[in-house]
């Protein structure tokens, strides 16, 4: 069966303009065109569009999706199963967030009482869920589900006192990064070593399974993904790149 571009747009819920853009960047080509340039898509293109939309929903950029789809062997069933797993995990995160918000609203209205411990736990759960939504795909691609789940569990059991210390480390790192750029430090300077040491301790507070290789790998995300870069570059542009370079130099040299 052949679908016109408008028919496919209606079926998929995306615009004809988007389909034309996918064609322009070589992501999804029509099966054929009739005289006058009218585009038509077959079942193979429909399946491919479904894959594209699944990858988009999981947070991948178009250039990444194109790379996935142009690989010699694409395991479609495996991709669908991975996506289903992601959706179930997302459902659980959303349901937990809804529960936390409902309890907080009820407490604010005076219908129930939340202890300080419960409030803090709800806050941590929300933070974990937000982090998973923003960065989960990239981190799981790099480190695997088991490693990420272990880190999340460790963070979830962090005490309020340790969490406050973790936040203090984070702020100190940001201040030193801004100072480093203002004073033109070099990543290999001894002063930069202090930043890397603090960052190492900051990581260890949230994930006890530390290694220099993992430290460097996480740091590489700070420049490879603009969402990670924005966290450190919020006040001063270039902090993320400086931190990445410093960690690459010092991570294997510090105790």
């Amino acid at each position: 069966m052949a679908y016109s571009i408008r028919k496919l747009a209606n079926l998929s819920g995306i615009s004809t303009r988007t389909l034309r853009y996918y064609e322009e960047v070589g992501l999804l080509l029509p099966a054929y065109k009739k005289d006058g340039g009218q585009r038509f898509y077959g079942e193979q293109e429909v399946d491919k569009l479904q894959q594209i939309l699944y990858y988009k929903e999981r947070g991948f950029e178009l250039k990444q999706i194109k790379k996935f789809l142009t690989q010699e062997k694409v395991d479609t069933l495996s991709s669908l199963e991975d996506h289903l797993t992601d959706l179930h995990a997302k459902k659980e995160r959303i349901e937990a967030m809804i529960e936390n918000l409902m309890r907080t609203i009820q407490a604010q209205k005076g219908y129930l009482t939340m202890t300080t411990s419960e409030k803090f736990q709800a806050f941590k759960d929300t933070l974990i869920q937000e982090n998973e939504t923003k960065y989960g795909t990239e981190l799981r691609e790099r480190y695997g589900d088991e490693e990420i789940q272990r880190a999340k569990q460790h963070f979830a059991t962090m005490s309020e006192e340790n969490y406050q210390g973790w936040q203090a480390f984070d702020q100190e790192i940001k201040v030193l990064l801004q100072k480093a750029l203002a004073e033109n430090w070099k990543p290999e300077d001894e002063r930069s070593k202090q930043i890397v040491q603090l960052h190492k301790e900051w990581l260890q507070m949230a994930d006890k399974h530390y290694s220099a290789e993992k430290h460097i790998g996480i740091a590489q995300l700070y420049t490879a993904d603009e969402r990670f870069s924005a966290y450190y570059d919020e006040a001063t542009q270039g902090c993320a790149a400086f931190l990445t370079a410093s960690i690459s130099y010092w991570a294997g040299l510090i105790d």
Side-chain angles (χ1 to χ4, degrees):
M1 182 176 180
Y3 302 86
S4 68
I5 189 171
R6 186 168 297 280
K7 180 68 171 178
L8 183 58
N10 290 336
L11 287 172
S12 63
I14 62 176
S15 67
T16 57
R17 181 178 179 181
T18 297
L19 288 171
R20 291 190 180 94
Y21 179 70
Y22 288 172
E23 179 185 356
E24 180 183 332
V25 299
L27 188 60
L28 179 67
L29 304 179
Y32 62 91
K33 294 182 182 179
K34 284 189 174 181
D35 295 340
Q38 188 176 8
R39 297 164 174 81
F40 286 88
Y41 301 81
E43 294 299 333
Q44 184 176 349
E45 287 72 36
V46 172
D47 290 344
K48 190 172 184 179
L49 178 59
Q50 184 184 40
Q51 283 293 100
I52 292 168
L53 296 180
Y54 281 153
Y55 280 126
K56 278 197 66 180
E57 201 280 333
R58 293 175 68 185
F60 290 105
E61 298 178 356
L62 292 184
K63 61 182 180 181
Q64 293 174 297
I65 297 173
K66 185 176 180 181
K67 181 179 179 181
F68 294 152
L69 296 178
T70 53
Q71 291 173 346
E72 289 187 7
K73 293 183 180 179
V74 178
D75 189 343
T76 303
L77 179 59
S78 178
S79 296
L80 292 174
E81 290 173 339
D82 287 346
H83 184 63
L84 181 60
T85 299
D86 285 347
L87 289 178
H88 280 306
K90 183 178 290 187
K91 178 184 176 183
E92 291 177 4
R93 294 194 299 270
I94 291 173
E95 288 177 346
M97 188 178 293
I98 290 172
E99 177 65 22
N100 285 336
L101 286 173
M102 287 179 62
R103 286 182 58 79
T104 302
I105 290 170
Q106 294 297 308
Q108 290 287 330
K109 290 181 176 181
Y111 298 146
L112 59 82
T113 301
M114 291 181 73
T115 66
T116 301
S117 177
E118 287 175 329
K119 291 178 182 177
F120 178 63
Q121 187 61 48
F123 171 77
K124 283 194 299 181
D125 290 344
T126 300
L127 192 63
I128 290 170
Q129 291 152 11
E130 289 175 349
N131 186 73
E132 176 70 26
T133 300
K134 287 181 180 179
Y135 312 120
T137 299
E138 289 79 1
L139 293 174
R140 289 174 188 280
E141 286 287 326
R142 185 177 288 256
Y143 300 109
D145 289 342
E146 184 177 349
E147 182 71 21
I148 299 305
Q149 189 61 35
R150 188 164 54 190
K152 286 169 59 177
Q153 182 63 31
H154 181 67
F155 185 81
T157 57
M158 184 186 294
S159 69
E160 186 170 0
E161 180 181 357
N162 285 343
Y163 178 78
Q164 290 173 351
W166 184 72
Q167 282 190 311
F169 270 37
D170 186 44
Q171 292 305 309
E172 187 175 357
I173 290 166
K174 288 184 176 181
V175 169
L176 284 174
L177 285 172
Q178 293 171 37
K179 179 180 176 67
L181 263 63
E183 298 180 0
N184 296 314
W185 295 7
K186 303 296 182 186
E188 60 272 18
D189 288 350
E190 191 72 23
R191 294 174 295 182
S192 302
K193 180 180 178 181
Q194 180 187 358
I195 299 177
V196 179
Q197 183 67 51
L198 283 170
H199 194 267
K200 174 184 176 180
E201 294 178 28
W202 178 77
L203 284 178
Q204 288 176 310
M205 292 182 74
D207 179 5
K208 61 182 179 181
H209 298 280
Y210 173 87
S211 72
E213 292 77 14
K214 186 194 292 187
H215 195 175
I216 293 171
I218 290 173
Q220 289 172 348
L221 289 172
Y222 297 157
T223 52
D225 191 311
E226 62 183 13
R227 291 169 299 171
F228 289 86
S229 302
Y231 182 75
Y232 287 106
D233 286 347
E234 182 179 9
T236 305
Q237 191 72 24
C239 285
F242 185 88
L243 179 58
T244 299
S246 298
I247 291 172
S248 296
Y249 183 85
W250 284 108
L253 302 175
I254 56 180
D255 297 328

